[in-house]
């Protein structure tokens, strides 16, 4: 940001910079010309903070040091750092957001029950447009590392996200109601989904992301709530998944609370290394058995492809396409799959239900082609 007005946080290392940062951001946001807020090298305490516009000109925040959250288990709070309602926002600098999540993980039971007290998301981007987020790290989040809501035209690159593989609900990047987001050249190793795509997401491009450990890259879950919006235009290319509990996954709830469509979802040029369930469409996703599996999912899946996926599986279920008997998957393409499994219960398998995939190139394991269940009157 050339010739930008610069607001430096002049605190000494170890101090709490919450009020200083809020003051600097407020001044930058009111500036009539582009401005920059710089957090220098060092370690700083940072309390809950919301930096919201609209601003009079673009704002850039450069984090060079490490900001650390309260290390206590703060239940009932849903946020730590929020950037909201800005156009032309930039966040960069090579610094670290440390969520200090260790105490929170011990009391977090949200992976076991719906009725749990929420924990703070580390970094939230709410309704941020034309944004560039690059060269930052998030470690040890109490809950999600990064949550993106209502974004338009946002590029995230060279993001590094780490937390222990047994840290619950620590999704790397979760997106919802956003259009035109790119996630590029990033590394995510965490205790839940590396990237999770919520309802209302469109035109998402994920490229050159390394994921693992974690729960893979997921579209969904979809259908848990009423008034969800369609998902469309999801493209995941040239990524590597290693030691993850799932690989490339689309998950929808049976007995869904809405009827939406997820369409044009494409995975291509993916390497899997000892990944459990490398390719999975699961329209019977029902954690904690809090739904009726006998009632078919009402989420429609249309125009889905998995192409050039190769490597090794951590279990024999290399490919599982479990589509809804009420709304069978439409136009699913499988091309050039080469996934090996060397376990004692092998070889690898390729299962289908309520889908007849179009097969391109060679398939290993050998692909199935199950009959499509017809609805009455079809």
């Amino acid at each position: 940001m050339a010739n930008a007005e610069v607001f430096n946080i002049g605190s000494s290392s170890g101090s709490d910079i919450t009020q200083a940062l809020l003051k600097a951001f407020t001044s930058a946001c009111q500036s009539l010309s582009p401005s920059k807020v710089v957090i220098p090298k060092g370690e700083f305490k940072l309390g809950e903070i919301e930096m919201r516009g609209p601003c009079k000109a673009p704002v850039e925040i450069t984090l060079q040091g490490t900001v650390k959250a309260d290390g206590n288990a703060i239940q009932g709070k849903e946020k730590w750092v929020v950037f909201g309602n800005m156009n032309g926002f930039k966040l960069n600098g090579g610094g670290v957001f440390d969520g200090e999540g260790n105490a929170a993980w011990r009391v977090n039971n949200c992976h076991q029950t719906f009725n749990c007290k929420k924990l703070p998301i580390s970094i939230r981007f709410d309704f941020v447009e034309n944004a560039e987020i690059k060269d930052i790290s998030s470690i040890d989040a109490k809950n999600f590392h990064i949550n993106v809501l209502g974004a338009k035209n946002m590029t995230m690159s060279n993001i590094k996200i780490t937390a222990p593989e047994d840290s619950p609900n620590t999704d790397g990047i979760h997106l919802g109601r956003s259009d035109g987001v790119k996630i590029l050249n990033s590394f995510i190793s965490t205790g839940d989904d590396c990237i999770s795509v919520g309802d209302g997401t469109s035109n998402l491009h994920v490229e050159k992301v390394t994921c693992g450990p974690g729960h893979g890259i997921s579209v969904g879950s979809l259908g848990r709530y009423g008034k969800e919006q369609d998902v469309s235009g999801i493209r995941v290319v040239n990524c590597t998944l290693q030691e993850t509990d799932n690989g490339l996954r689309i998950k929808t709830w049976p007995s869904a609370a809405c009827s939406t469509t997820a369409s044009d979802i494409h995975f291509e040029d993916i390497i899997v290394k000892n990944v459990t369930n490398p390719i999975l469409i699961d329209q019977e996703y029902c954690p904690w058995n809090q739904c009726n599996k006998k009632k078919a999912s009402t989420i429609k899946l249309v125009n889905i492809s998995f192409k050039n996926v190769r490597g090794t599986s951590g279990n024999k279920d290399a490919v599982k396409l479990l589509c809804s008997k009420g709304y069978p998957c439409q136009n699913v393409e499988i091309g050039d799959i080469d996934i090996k499994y060397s376990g004692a219960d092998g070889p690898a398998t390729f299962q289908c239900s309520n889908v007849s995939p179009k097969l391109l190139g060679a398939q290993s394991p050998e692909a199935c082609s199950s009959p499509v269940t017809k609805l009455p009157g079809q």
Side-chain angles (χ1 to χ4, degrees), residues 226-237:
K227 299 182 179 179
E228 290 188 8
Q229 298 177 4
D230 291 347
V231 171
S232 65
I234 310 301
R235 186 166 173 80
V236 178
V237 298

Side-chain angles (χ1 to χ4, degrees), residues 40-59:
K41 292 182 178 180
E43 283 194 356
F44 306 97
K45 297 174 184 175
L46 183 64
E48 182 181 317
I49 185 169
E50 294 192 45
M51 289 169 275
R52 292 189 181 273
C55 297
K56 294 178 179 177
V59 173

